[in-house]
Amino acid sequence: MTPPAPAAASRIQRALRSLYVQVLIGITLGILLGLLEPGWGSKLKPLGDAFINLVKMMIAPIIFCTVVTGIGALGDLKKVGRVGLKAIIYFEVVTTLALIIGLVVVNVVKPGEGFSSTDIAEAKPMVAAAAPLTTSAFLMNIIPKTFVSAFVSGEILQVLLIAIFSGIALSMMGEKGRPVVDLLHLAGSAFMKIIGMIMHLAPIAAFGAMAYTIGEHGLGSLVKLLYLLACVYLTCIAFVFIVLGAIMKSIGFSLWKFLRYIREELLLVLGTSSSESALPPMLEKMERLGCDKAVVGLVLPTGYSFNLDGTSIYLTMAAVFVAQATNTPLTLPQQISMLLVLLLTSKGAAAVTGGGFVTLSATLNTVNTHLVSGLPLLVGIDRFMSEARAITNLIGNGVATLFIANWEKALDREQAKAVLDTKGPHEIKI
């Protein structure tokens, strides 16, 4: 057998050193292990959980440093308020559109008709955890009990709140606050170095998480619910390429090139089923793309709570699916009422595995308590749908950051085009 040519061998070595290829290999091996040895695969959940926890422990300090240094160095507090208002307007418009699209598709396709199931035991803990979310409770949850407790709890919105206040205070201090801003900038750089080291574990995490998903639930559990699964995935794909594609085109950029730019993060989310795992590298990549640091620091973390496009699509489709499957018809006024409730509850959905299921339980509790009994129908495939939700959320927040930066004229368009035109890897280097 002729050995590979030196040039070909060099390309293979470079590919194997790429995080993109390593995560892809991890996902493939995880699927194979889950199929061939489901007993072993179902025991590997800690690999994925440990990686997500490692990333999550860095999210709060990274967001704090990014937002404080961005606002502190900005000096223009009117711009901070203007960016925040534009972000909220954008989030509400796009997530409402996602909710409506999901509602229309599930009513047209009707994936829940003729479905029946009696297995309810597995969903009881999730249903019990889903207390109805009121507006006051949601708003109060944004305010931490103490400055430090925001970091302890890991609530993104709480960290964002104290970071905004801190950044504004340092900005008002002028030159006196400059040493603190410089120190936090240095600390933020150190935290990103730590994230770079943690990212080397991503292939192992993807392997463990995928092996657990296939080994624990099995592909057989998808057969009955494959119709709904296909509807959610196809709707998310259509939303990304039609709606988000149109948004990117409106500001003069290619969605395909942007997806190629964040391909490592997309694979990371696919392997771990968590969009939070990609937040730290996304912060750096959006800055590298030419977006203003303050805009990135405000828009991207806020989007993880307020701009969950994939979760919005899933919530409307899953809610109506449950109604169809349990023969509990929802009238048009009831569906509109549910849509209004979801405008609130979708903002409280955690960007982690299972968060959408808990939010769905809370929503159904407020619309029709009888529908909650049908939630067990979704238990078998909720994990498989989390990839569609998380990936759509990630892309949506990246597009939102780019759009708002361009809207605010805080985007270096030449730099963005140059970076997006580069076909090589865009991984974070340690």
Side-chain angles (χ1 to χ4, degrees):
M1 185 175 178
T2 306
S10 177
R11 284 196 297 270
I12 293 173
Q13 289 177 353
R14 284 199 303 270
L16 291 176
R17 286 196 296 266
S18 166
L19 180 66
Y20 176 86
V21 174
Q22 291 173 6
V23 171
L24 188 59
I25 292 172
I27 291 172
T28 304
L29 293 177
I31 292 173
L32 291 174
L33 180 62
L35 289 173
L36 300 176
E37 293 290 344
W40 290 2
S42 61
K43 296 177 182 178
L44 296 181
K45 187 173 184 289
L47 292 179
D49 290 347
F51 175 79
I52 292 174
N53 288 339
L54 282 171
V55 174
K56 287 177 70 174
M57 78 177 184
M58 301 305 302
I59 287 177
I62 285 175
I63 288 177
F64 181 78
C65 292
T66 301
V67 174
V68 172
T69 55
I71 296 176
L74 194 62
D76 185 2
L77 297 182
K78 289 183 179 179
K79 182 177 179 180
V80 175
R82 192 169 62 243
V83 170
L85 179 61
K86 288 179 178 179
I88 294 300
I89 292 172
Y90 176 94
F91 294 160
E92 286 305 313
V93 171
V94 177
T95 53
T96 300
L97 186 58
L99 288 167
I100 293 173
I101 289 173
L103 199 61
V104 170
V105 171
V106 76
N107 275 285
V108 171
V109 179
K110 294 180 170 56
E113 285 193 349
F115 198 95
S116 64
S117 176
T118 57
D119 179 22
I120 64 172
E122 194 173 350
K124 285 183 179 179
M126 294 185 184
V127 174
L133 183 66
T134 63
T135 304
S136 60
F138 174 70
L139 293 175
M140 288 300 294
N141 190 54
I142 296 176
I143 305 173
K145 293 181 179 179
T146 67
F147 191 94
V148 177
S149 66
F151 295 91
V152 175
S153 64
E155 291 284 348
I156 291 179
L157 286 181
Q158 292 184 0
V159 175
L160 190 61
L161 179 67
I162 62 174
I164 290 173
F165 278 127
S166 300
I168 291 174
L170 289 171
S171 179
M172 293 173 68
M173 290 173 65
E175 287 302 315
K176 291 182 179 179
R178 176 61 57 183
V180 179
V181 173
D182 292 340
L183 178 62
L184 289 176
H185 178 74
L186 189 61
S189 299
F191 291 141
M192 289 306 300
K193 289 289 185 182
I194 296 174
I195 283 293
M197 292 186 281
I198 293 174
M199 284 299 132
H200 285 306
L201 302 175
I204 299 173
F207 166 73
M210 196 57 68
Y212 164 76
T213 299
I214 303 298
E216 180 71 15
H217 299 288
L219 294 177
S221 64
L222 300 180
V223 175
K224 287 185 180 179
L225 299 160
L226 198 57
Y227 198 15
L228 173 63
L229 189 70
C231 286
V232 171
Y233 269 83
L234 290 175
T235 305
C236 286
I237 291 171
F239 179 85
V240 167
F241 286 102
I242 296 175
V243 177
L244 299 183
I247 293 172
M248 287 290 285
K249 188 175 181 180
S250 72
I251 59 174
F253 294 103
S254 165
L255 177 66
W256 278 108
K257 290 181 179 179
F258 180 70
L259 295 181
R260 183 181 65 195
Y261 176 62
I262 62 169
R263 61 184 181 270
E264 290 87 8
E265 286 68 37
L266 293 176
L267 266 182
L268 182 61
V269 171
L270 176 65
T272 61
S273 302
S274 169
S275 56
E276 277 195 340
S277 62
L279 177 56
M282 279 295 289
L283 286 167
E284 181 167 303
K285 279 200 168 182
M286 295 312 297
E287 286 185 42
R288 191 186 300 170
L289 199 56
C291 297
D292 182 79
K293 185 180 181 69
V295 173
V296 173
L298 282 172
V299 176
L300 198 58
T302 308
Y304 266 66
S305 290
F306 286 89
N307 188 44
L308 303 177
D309 301 329
T311 303
S312 298
I313 290 171
Y314 162 78
L315 288 172
T316 48
M317 296 188 74
V320 177
F321 170 84
V322 169
Q324 293 170 351
T326 56
N327 294 315
T328 311
L330 292 177
T331 64
L332 182 59
Q334 284 179 313
Q335 292 197 32
I336 293 175
S337 173
M338 181 183 69
L339 195 68
L340 295 174
V341 171
L342 284 170
L343 284 173
L344 173 64
T345 56
S346 63
K347 305 299 184 291
V352 294
T353 304
F357 192 94
V358 173
T359 303
L360 179 61
S361 302
T363 303
L364 293 182
N365 262 319
T366 61
V367 177
N368 186 334
T369 54
H370 176 69
L371 291 175
V372 177
S373 63
L375 279 175
L377 301 176
L378 300 172
V379 171
I381 62 164
D382 183 73
R383 175 85 190 194
F384 291 97
M385 286 193 286
S386 63
E387 282 86 359
R389 296 195 299 263
I391 288 174
T392 307
N393 292 341
L394 178 73
I395 298 171
N397 284 315
V399 170
T401 305
L402 198 59
F403 180 87
I404 294 168
N406 183 76
W407 186 4
E408 184 60 22
K409 294 182 173 55
L411 172 68
D412 187 333
R413 295 183 60 85
E414 293 301 320
Q415 181 177 335
K417 287 185 177 180
V419 171
L420 291 178
D421 286 339
T422 303
K423 294 184 179 181
H426 298 281
E427 301 168 22
I428 292 178
K429 302 298 182 184
I430 300 175

